Amino acid sequence: MKELKARIDVLMERDPVRMQELERMFGMLKFELLEAKKAVDLQEITLADVKGEWIKDNSEEKLVSMREEERNLKIGKLIYSAAVEKMDIMERVVLLLS
């Protein structure tokens, strides 16, 4: 990500007006990527807690809760993967422009 930011900075020096949008998009994608990673990390912790509760109390209710948290984790991972792909696309765009 640092290398990508450095390339964007070089492009900004060449044409600051046209590259402002690119820099803004990079900032948004970076934020989206970091937030998605944090959400996945928190969801993994939540799932671990729910699994622990299910182990203590092997009830149907706890099993349903655990399955729901597993689905939430899968969704979180998909969102993170999408953010990574967007950042990869941004990197390719910057490489093509430089």
Side-chain angles (χ1 to χ4, degrees):
M1 213 176 314
K2 289 180 183 181
E3 181 181 322
L4 179 58
K5 177 63 174 140
R7 286 178 189 257
I8 291 172
D9 289 343
V10 168
L11 289 171
M12 282 291 291
E13 289 173 8
R14 285 191 219 159
D15 192 352
V17 174
R18 293 176 67 196
M19 294 301 138
Q20 284 179 343
E21 181 66 15
L22 185 67
E23 187 173 45
R24 185 185 72 74
M25 287 174 57
F26 172 76
M28 288 176 22
L29 289 175
K30 183 179 175 184
F31 177 77
E32 183 180 335
L33 183 66
L34 294 173
E35 288 298 307
K37 178 66 175 146
K38 279 197 280 186
V40 167
D41 291 344
L42 288 174
Q43 190 59 43
E44 286 175 339
I45 292 168
T46 301
L47 179 58
D49 288 344
V50 170
K51 279 184 178 181
E53 290 296 317
W54 178 72
I55 289 169
K56 288 180 194 172
D57 176 14
N58 195 351
S59 67
E60 187 66 28
E61 181 182 308
K62 299 288 182 182
L63 181 61
V64 169
S65 180
M66 185 176 72
R67 297 289 184 233
E68 182 179 332
E69 294 305 332
E70 286 173 339
R71 283 190 298 275
N72 290 340
L73 179 58
K74 285 180 184 179
I75 291 168
K77 286 181 176 182
L78 288 173
I79 291 169
Y80 177 72
S81 293
V84 168
E85 287 181 30
K86 288 178 189 177
M87 191 57 84
D88 288 344
I89 292 168
M90 169 65 81
E91 188 172 352
R92 288 185 200 122
V93 167
V94 168
L95 286 173
L96 290 172
L97 291 173
S98 52

